[in-house]
Amino acid sequence: MTIDDAPREALRGGPRDLLRWVATGAAVSRADLSRLSGLSPSTVSQRVEALISQGLLEETGAGRSRGGRRPRQLGVPTGGAVVGAIDLGAHHARVGALDLSGRVVRARTLPVRIEDGPEAVLGALLTEVATLVGNHPAADGAAVAGGSAMADGAAVAGGSAAAGALRGIGIGIPGPVQHATGRIVSPSRMPGWNGFDVAAFCAGRVDVPVIVDNDANLMALGAHRTAHPELDHAVYIKAGTGIGSGVISSGRLHRGAQGSAGDISHCRVVADPAPPCTCGNAGCLEAVASGAALVTALRGQGVPVSDLTGVIRLIDDGDRQATALARQAGRAVGEILAVVVNFFNPQVVAIGGRLADCEPLLASMRATLYERCLPLATQNLLIERVAAGQDTGITGAAHLVIDHVVAAV
């Protein structure tokens, strides 16, 4: 059994938990960590010292005495080590530098042309990460050479790193990713990317670990850590130009055997006529309910719309055709999610992406879920929007790297 397969209860009090409790303010001392974890003070102290030696925690001074020696307060070195993050989309990428608490220090949105190919797109984005990290006030010694980012003292997981060192880069890809290898597998909207080894390409350009995952998974991880870290089971839908989802099970990101868990985009929806999908089948959820599908459907009805922004504008203006299509899309998403909810029984279903603010789609999705699901599955189910905004993906990418670093402690 691996650490990701183990029950969450058995892992309570591990390094990741200790770091998370300190980062969120739930604990400020070793005594607090001992109370939260149920571990002995000596065990907690040993793990805290290991985290401090890796630069993942620091002592910030003495706290208030409760009758004995004043406890030494703990904190995450927010001015120290940083993490690079890339959330790649079909037309834009969000790039950021974050600290070890997952807080965004610097971020920027850049236009991209996914059809330009992986070398050109990823090379430019890695250069942008290096620029953001180099501008970080604590990134002493950071250097950029040929589009690479390297900081004095940086080391792969298992080694130590000086304050201000880049610890790793997390990358979200809008297509199927074999997480164990970092290789893209048969993406439907990424010409020239099939089979591309993102991890190997980046390894030749940066001297830190690079971790690659599907963008919906990273949105799920970022949203969960930000809004619902106390919940064990959740489903997060990313609805934009494409559509997908990420699954949290037992408090951890669930990828399945090959990394495709949560891919609802090519589940078949009952539709007549069934529109063709980019995967080669017909009637897939993405062909019916994604932003690209709405654009295609409106054009077929003679509405001159060029992109998803135009669709959303029409819906906000109360356009009859666009609103009707949004409601149909919401029902289609709800039909697929009803199967997921009945099977998986999550505590929360949250929708993010550009279509999350489309009220007709959200209302229709919610109504379909309540209609199609068992009462037991929905009696305490939260159905909501992802609240973390445009930085959700890079936050998830950063936590992916942080978890990787902490796992080696």
Side-chain angles (χ1 to χ4, degrees):
M1 178 181 290
T2 68
I3 191 169
D4 287 328
D5 296 327
R8 190 181 191 189
E9 294 78 6
L11 296 169
R12 189 172 178 84
R16 278 184 279 196
D17 288 323
L18 301 187
L19 181 62
R20 177 170 57 83
W21 286 327
V22 174
T24 59
V28 297
S29 67
R30 290 169 174 80
D32 291 339
L33 293 174
S34 182
R35 173 178 52 81
L36 287 170
S37 65
L39 298 174
S40 68
S42 61
T43 299
V44 167
S45 182
Q46 182 181 34
R47 294 181 179 180
V48 166
E49 291 303 321
L51 289 168
I52 290 175
S53 70
Q54 293 293 316
L56 301 173
L57 285 179
E58 65 182 3
E59 292 182 338
T60 59
R64 179 180 299 178
S65 173
R66 296 182 179 179
R69 188 173 60 181
R70 295 171 68 188
R72 290 172 292 172
Q73 290 188 305
L74 300 170
V76 174
T78 56
V82 293
V83 176
I86 298 171
D87 183 20
L88 178 61
H91 305 293
H92 298 87
R94 186 72 172 167
V95 181
L98 298 89
D99 63 28
L100 287 172
S101 69
R103 180 180 66 91
V104 177
V105 178
R106 295 179 183 272
R108 185 175 300 169
T109 299
L110 302 171
V112 299
R113 284 168 41 89
I114 204 77
E115 61 270 25
D116 286 344
E119 292 92 346
V121 171
L122 291 173
L125 294 178
L126 287 174
T127 299
E128 187 63 30
V129 169
T131 300
L132 292 177
V133 171
N135 287 335
H136 189 283
D140 296 329
V144 182
S148 67
M150 181 172 65
D152 290 344
V156 296
S160 62
L166 179 65
R167 292 301 187 90
I169 299 174
I171 302 177
I173 300 292
V177 174
Q178 190 176 48
H179 176 70
T181 64
R183 189 180 295 274
I184 301 173
V185 182
S186 300
S188 59
R189 296 182 183 275
M190 303 175 69
W193 291 69
N194 182 38
F196 188 77
D197 192 334
V198 177
F201 173 82
C202 295
R205 287 158 176 78
V206 298
D207 290 338
V208 294
V210 175
I211 306 177
V212 187
D213 211 330
N214 172 261
D215 61 341
N217 280 347
L218 296 190
M219 187 200 75
L221 185 60
H224 182 255
R225 296 285 176 88
T226 301
H228 297 296
E230 77 286 356
L231 299 183
D232 286 337
H233 310 295
V235 175
Y236 296 91
I237 303 95
K238 186 172 185 179
T241 301
I243 190 165
S245 74
V247 178
I248 300 293
S249 179
S250 297
R252 299 181 181 277
L253 187 61
H254 176 72
R255 298 185 180 90
Q258 297 295 326
S260 66
D263 188 353
I264 61 174
S265 57
H266 299 292
C267 293
R268 184 176 174 84
V269 178
V270 177
D272 187 23
C277 183
T278 54
C279 72
N281 288 320
C284 296
L285 181 63
E286 184 164 300
V288 174
S290 67
L294 295 180
V295 171
T296 300
L298 281 171
R299 286 176 179 171
Q301 295 179 13
V303 179
V305 62
S306 60
D307 54 23
L308 181 54
T309 299
V311 174
I312 294 173
R313 186 180 300 115
L314 287 172
I315 295 170
D316 290 342
D317 289 341
D319 180 85
R320 177 179 59 83
Q321 291 167 287
T323 300
L325 285 172
R327 290 193 178 116
Q328 291 175 17
R331 282 194 293 274
V333 175
E335 288 175 4
I336 297 300
L337 287 180
V339 177
V340 174
V341 169
N342 280 330
F343 178 79
F344 180 56
N345 191 204
Q347 295 156 296
V348 60
V349 170
I351 182 169
R354 298 185 67 196
L355 285 175
D357 292 327
C358 178
E359 189 58 42
L361 185 149
L362 192 62
S364 185
M365 182 192 82
R366 182 182 284 111
T368 304
L369 272 174
Y370 282 121
E371 177 187 346
R372 299 292 182 90
C373 290
L374 295 171
L376 181 61
T378 58
Q379 66 179 4
N380 295 314
L381 179 67
L382 297 173
I383 304 174
E384 62 187 27
R385 293 184 178 91
V386 172
Q390 64 179 345
D391 288 334
T392 310
I394 60 172
T395 299
H399 279 290
L400 201 65
V401 174
I402 293 167
D403 288 351
H404 175 80
V405 173
V406 174
V409 175

